Amino acid sequence: MSRVYNFSAGPACLPVDVLKEAQEEMLDYRGCGMSVMEMSHRSAMFQEIIDEAEADIRELMSIPDSYKVLFLSGSAHHQFAQVPMNLMKNGVADYIITGNWAKKAWKEAAKYGKANAVASSEDKNFSYIPDCSDLPIDEDADYVYICENNTIYGTKYHKLPNTKGKILVSDASSCFLSEPVDITKYGVYYGGVQKNVGPAGMCIAIVREDLITDDVLPCTPTIMKYKSQADKGSLYNTPNCWDIYICGKVFKWIKKLGGLSAMKEINEKKAEILYEYLDSSKMFRGTVAKEDRSLMNVPFVTGDKDLDAKFIAVAKENGLENVKGHRSVGGMRASIYNAMPIEGVAKLVSVMKQFEEENL
C-alpha cells in the first residue's frame, strides 16, 4: 500500500525516515532485546535517549542554560491550566485572543485569577492578527499569553506583541521547530508535539529558570508544578517514553536537513506554491489577511459548500487526505508541517487546478 499525502492538522504526518528508523528498532532497540515502549524510564538506556533529545533540541533552538526543557505528558490543553497555576503570582494575566485555542486558554486561566482579554480578532472570525504594538497591559499582569500560530484559522504572529516588560507566554504547538526562534524573548514557550514534532500525547515546554519555583497557586497538584518536573529532569513520573524517543529522531532529522534556518526555507517554498495558486485562482481563495498568513496551516474555500464537499472527495480520490477545513471556517485546510514533502503540496495544487478547470 502506498502512503497518502496527509494534510491533517494533528496528529499529523511524520518524516518517513523517522518512521522507518522506528520500524527497524521496534522489536529491538540497539541490541537491548526490547522496544523503547517496554523499557524502564529509569534505565541507563532511556536516560541516554532523553539526554540526547534534550541536547539536540537545545542545539536546534539555541536554548540558553537559563531555560529548562521539559518533556511533559499530556497536551497543550494541560498548559492552559499549568501556566496560570505556576505563573499567576499577582493573580492577573493578559490574553490575546486570536482563535479557539487562545480563547480556551483564556477561559481556563479565569478559573485561577483575573484573565484579561486585551486584544481579539474574533470580529472577523480570527482571520487576522490584531495590532499588538500598544496593548492595554494590566500593571499587575504576571504574563501576556499568545497562541503564536493558529491551526484552525491559519494566522501567525510575524511580530511578537509589545508586552511592556511583562513575561511572554506562547503556545507554539503548530509552528514548533518550523523556523528559528529567539527563545530569550519568552518566559514560557511550549507546544503539543502532535502537529509538527512527534506523536500525540506529549508537550514540550521551554521555561525560563527564574519562573520555576515553589511559589505556585495552592491548588497546584505536585505533578503540575514546573519545579517538580524540572528538578527530576522530566522524570518525576513515568513520561511518554515513546514520544520522547520519536521526538528525538525528529530533532536529528531536522539537524540533518541543516537546522531551523534550512527548515524555514523549505517551509517557505511549500507555502509559496500554495499561496501563489490561491492568489491567482478564480475558484479557490484563502481566508487569511496576507500579512498574517501561516506557513503551516492554510485554510481556503470556494464560497460554495457543495463545491467544497466535492473537492474534498476528489482530493481523497487522489491520495490527498484530511483536507477538510475546521467547522468554524469551513471549506478546506492544508496543514503543511515540516514533514509534508514539497511534492505533496505540488500535487495538491495540481489537483486544485484540474478541479477548477473542470468545475468553473
Side-chain angles (χ1 to χ4, degrees):
M1 180 181 175
S2 60
R3 283 177 61 81
V4 299
Y5 290 117
N6 178 16
F7 292 93
S8 171
C13 58
L14 285 162
V16 171
D17 289 351
V18 167
L19 293 173
K20 286 181 177 177
E21 280 184 30
Q23 182 184 42
E24 289 168 6
E25 295 174 346
M26 178 64 76
L27 297 178
D28 182 5
Y29 176 73
R30 299 186 182 179
C32 76
M34 69 180 88
S35 168
V36 172
M37 288 188 284
E38 305 168 285
M39 190 181 290
S40 168
H41 65 296
R42 303 295 182 196
S43 66
M45 189 159 278
F46 183 73
Q47 189 65 55
E48 187 179 315
I49 289 172
I50 194 170
D51 287 347
E52 259 190 59
E54 179 173 343
D56 285 338
I57 193 173
R58 282 188 177 277
E59 182 183 339
L60 277 170
M61 297 183 72
S62 301
I63 299 171
D65 292 340
S66 54
Y67 285 75
K68 292 288 189 182
V69 176
L70 306 178
F71 298 104
L72 304 174
S73 298
S75 66
H77 270 78
H78 285 68
Q79 295 305 304
F80 297 171
Q82 195 161 5
V83 166
M85 282 179 172
N86 282 267
L87 301 188
M88 265 191 173
K89 317 295 186 188
N90 297 323
V92 182
D94 290 346
Y95 281 70
I96 302 169
I97 314 300
T98 52
N100 281 19
W101 308 126
K103 195 172 184 178
K104 284 190 174 186
W106 167 58
K107 288 183 176 180
E108 187 70 21
K111 296 177 182 178
Y112 306 103
K114 181 184 176 185
N116 303 310
V118 293
S120 173
S121 54
E122 193 166 10
D123 61 325
K124 294 184 179 177
N125 199 31
F126 302 119
S127 60
Y128 70 102
I129 298 293
D131 180 3
C132 298
S133 59
D134 188 20
L135 298 167
I137 302 295
D138 193 306
E139 286 185 9
D140 293 324
D142 293 296
Y143 60 87
V144 177
Y145 182 103
I146 63 171
C147 181
E148 196 154 333
N149 187 93
N150 294 283
T151 320
I152 293 173
Y153 300 95
T155 58
K156 169 74 165 66
Y157 285 81
H158 295 294
K159 183 179 181 182
L160 294 177
N162 175 9
T163 65
K164 299 181 180 177
K166 302 297 182 181
I167 295 162
L168 178 62
V169 175
S170 174
D171 173 357
S173 295
S174 53
C175 59
F176 207 94
L177 294 181
S178 64
E179 60 184 2
V181 172
D182 181 357
I183 208 71
T184 64
K185 292 181 177 179
Y186 305 84
V188 179
Y189 183 90
Y190 77 83
V193 302
Q194 75 276 11
K195 298 175 183 298
N196 214 27
V197 191
M202 193 178 78
C203 175
I204 298 173
I206 302 164
V207 186
R208 209 172 67 207
E209 239 175 348
D210 63 297
L211 302 177
I212 301 173
T213 71
D214 278 322
D215 181 19
V216 298
L217 297 186
C219 65
T220 307
T222 305
I223 198 170
M224 293 285 276
K225 291 181 180 179
Y226 287 139
K227 194 171 191 305
S228 300
Q229 300 292 346
D231 286 352
K232 297 295 184 180
S234 299
L235 297 172
Y236 171 78
N237 60 309
T238 307
N240 191 327
C241 299
W242 177 256
D243 224 326
I244 292 168
Y245 160 76
I246 295 293
C247 287
K249 288 192 177 297
V250 171
F251 302 157
K252 290 190 183 300
W253 175 76
I254 296 173
K255 284 174 67 177
K256 194 180 294 184
L257 288 175
L260 294 184
S261 293
M263 195 78 259
K264 183 183 182 184
E265 285 183 24
I266 294 167
N267 288 329
E268 285 175 337
K269 286 177 184 174
K270 290 188 295 187
E272 185 180 10
I273 291 170
L274 184 48
Y275 283 128
E276 275 193 358
Y277 170 65
L278 287 173
D279 289 341
S280 64
S281 172
K282 293 178 181 177
M283 174 180 285
F284 299 98
R285 64 173 180 83
T287 60
V288 173
K290 286 186 180 181
E291 64 273 18
D292 298 323
R293 284 172 167 175
S294 166
L295 294 180
M296 298 284 96
N297 310 100
V298 185
F300 56 97
V301 296
T302 64
D304 182 310
K305 289 183 180 179
D306 292 337
L307 207 54
D308 288 348
K310 185 177 180 181
F311 174 75
I312 291 164
V314 168
K316 188 176 180 66
E317 289 168 8
N318 282 272
L320 307 173
E321 290 283 347
N322 297 308
V323 297
K324 185 177 180 179
H326 192 272
R327 60 187 177 278
S328 57
V329 179
M332 288 68 64
R333 172 180 52 183
S335 292
I336 50 178
Y337 298 127
N338 289 353
M340 172 58 65
I342 198 165
E343 293 83 5
V345 181
K347 182 169 182 181
L348 172 61
V349 169
S350 175
V351 172
M352 290 169 74
K353 285 179 177 177
Q354 185 175 345
F355 186 84
E356 182 170 348
E357 288 171 7
E358 295 173 354
N359 290 276
L360 260 184

